[in-house]
Amino acid sequence: MKRFFIPILIFLCGACTNTIDYDFSQVKPELMVVGWLEQASTNQTICFSISEDGLVKPAEDARVVCTVNGKEVADVTVSAEDASEQTSYPFGLVSVLTDPSYYQQLPVSFQVSLKPGDKVKLMFEANHGSFKASSAELTVPESVEIVKVDTARVSVQHLDWSDQYLQVRADVSDRRGEDNWYCISMREISDGTYSFMDGGPDIFISLDAPRHILDMDDPVLLDGGMGQTEDLNVFSFSGNGAFACFSDQMFRNGIAHLRMNAFSSWNDEGPDFKLLSDLLVQQLGYDEIESRGLDRCRAEHRLEVRLSHCSQEAYYYLRSLRTISSNGYYPEIVEPVTIPTNIVGGVGFVDVVNTAVARIELPTEERSGKDIFGWEESL
């Protein structure tokens, strides 16, 4: 029988080959919208892009109309020129501090106060009204609680080497009697105070950036119990630590004990004096810094653990982003990942979250002007 199957197999392998040409010029341009509204904040930001000819480009202008419980509370329009001075984009769960041209996004910020249970609807326009879209109706979730946060120095064994980490441990109390979905992230904040030799006023610079969670070690401990879930390794951090999401299926009506490694021995946990000084140069200019004579900078430093109560749709959205950012994801050989969207008339995702924040104070550091800029002597 084998001599009959081999020729047939060779024939079928050749017969299954088919080349499909994909012409991006035939794909209709679409408005791309991404944003996370924070219940704890009154300042909200939505980011706009245009998908066209296989490329992503920033919108020329964008408009956001926000209604809460059927009442319009904000109507804001921003052009690309208006946003050119902005370098920091509060991005809710996944914050970005970067050059806007890198991410090809136009941010639109607006003011709105939200409380749990509010029904939020967003309408969008871009490029002088040529693109129009809206969000699904969003419900502001109830508050969440971080019961306890602590840190420890730990040694983690990898395949053939070990490393020292600063581990953050957080206890999360699940909301009882309901299904819940969560996202957890960390932010690193450095506040630098610059003093000058001319005796003039100090300059205060603040740097707020995401801290990607590194290796994970048994993030949810069940204290002997085991729940039924399709996602036993709830964090599975082979991918980008910015998209850390999990459900309460393994600790429903109880407490989850999370363990996240924030810094390692090769990943400096001190204040980022370089970025702080870059922001100082942007604010004052190098010539003024030189004329005043920079004396020193004292930087206070902290880590924020942010636990967000999100929607089920946002949970699956973040899981998809985590999958495609994984080191083990190869689009050529892996089944395509569907990225959920809740935008009507465009693509993207917008959600509103309720976030609890726990702060961990890290050691304060101080450097001289010579150390900061590498001058031969302090100015």
Side-chain angles (χ1 to χ4, degrees), residues 32-38 44-48 90-94 105 108 110 122 124 138 314 317 342-343 348-353:
M32 303 175 64
V33 183
V34 179
W36 301 91
L37 280 62
E38 292 269 6
Q44 317 294 347
T45 299
I46 304 292
C47 289
F48 292 78
F91 214 2
L93 301 179
V94 188
Q105 295 168 335
V108 177
F110 57 98
L122 297 160
F124 313 112
L138 311 172
Y317 174 75
N342 63 354
I343 303 299
F349 202 90
V350 175
D351 196 38
V352 57
V353 298

Side-chain angles (χ1 to χ4, degrees), residues 78-357:
V78 173
S79 67
E81 292 77 13
D82 296 334
S84 61
E85 300 296 323
Q86 187 173 354
T87 57
S88 177
Y89 301 91
F91 214 2
L93 301 179
V94 188
S95 295
V96 177
L97 179 66
T98 185
D99 180 353
S101 62
Y102 180 83
Y103 282 89
Q104 298 297 301
Q105 295 168 335
L106 174 63
V108 177
S109 296
F110 57 98
Q111 301 289 323
V112 60
S113 296
L114 301 171
K115 62 181 184 298
D118 281 346
K119 304 295 184 181
V120 181
K121 182 82 173 180
L122 297 160
M123 280 71 75
F124 313 112
E125 291 186 8
N127 288 14
H128 314 291
S130 57
F131 294 93
K132 295 184 178 182
S134 62
S135 74
E137 186 177 73
L138 311 172
T139 301
V140 181
E142 299 295 326
S143 61
V144 289
E145 181 183 7
I146 303 177
V147 181
K148 180 178 66 176
V149 172
D150 199 359
T151 58
R153 298 284 178 181
V154 299
S155 178
V156 176
Q157 181 66 43
H158 301 279
L159 292 176
D160 56 355
W161 59 286
S162 62
D163 198 5
Q164 298 295 317
Y165 287 81
L166 174 65
Q167 188 174 92
V168 177
R169 301 175 181 179
D171 288 356
V172 174
S173 180
D174 185 45
R175 291 187 57 83
R176 294 183 174 274
E178 59 186 64
D179 295 335
N180 296 282
W181 295 269
Y182 301 101
C183 174
I184 195 163
S185 62
M186 289 190 287
R187 300 192 63 79
E188 185 180 5
I189 300 172
S190 297
D191 296 330
T193 302
Y194 287 84
S195 58
F196 297 84
M197 294 181 179
D198 65 358
D202 292 344
I203 300 296
F204 178 81
I205 300 290
S206 185
L207 174 64
D208 183 354
R211 161 58 55 185
H212 283 186
I213 301 171
L214 304 175
D215 296 40
M216 299 298 301
D217 181 19
D218 296 332
V220 176
L221 306 182
L222 302 175
D223 296 331
M226 177 61 71
Q228 296 297 319
T229 174
E230 87 285 355
D231 192 12
L232 292 178
N233 185 5
V234 294
F235 272 153
S236 182
F237 270 136
S238 57
N240 192 324
F243 309 124
C245 57
F246 57 100
S247 71
D248 66 350
Q249 295 184 54
M250 297 179 71
F251 60 98
R252 184 160 295 162
N253 299 332
I255 293 179
H257 309 291
L258 312 183
R259 301 196 300 192
M260 305 159 287
N261 297 323
F263 300 98
S264 67
S265 62
W266 48 265
N267 191 266
D268 184 17
E269 63 184 75
D272 195 328
F273 282 95
K274 182 181 185 305
L275 279 180
L276 284 170
S277 299
D278 288 346
L279 293 176
L280 176 70
V281 172
Q282 290 180 25
Q283 179 171 327
L284 292 184
Y286 191 86
D287 291 341
E288 183 173 346
I289 296 173
E290 186 175 10
S291 65
R292 292 190 59 185
L294 179 62
D295 184 21
R296 60 188 62 254
C297 174
R298 175 184 173 85
E300 297 181 353
H301 194 214
R302 67 183 181 274
L303 193 66
E304 289 188 351
V305 179
R306 302 175 61 86
L307 174 72
S308 296
H309 192 196
C310 62
S311 66
Q312 183 180 19
E313 293 77 13
Y315 163 73
Y316 284 113
Y317 174 75
L318 292 171
R319 276 189 56 175
S320 299
L321 295 183
R322 188 183 68 194
T323 299
I324 64 174
S325 66
S326 166
N327 294 330
Y329 177 72
Y330 299 96
E332 301 86 356
I333 60 176
V334 176
E335 183 177 350
V337 176
T338 300
I339 306 297
T341 178
N342 63 354
I343 303 299
V344 179
V347 294
F349 202 90
V350 175
D351 196 38
V352 57
V353 298
N354 203 325
T355 302
V357 180

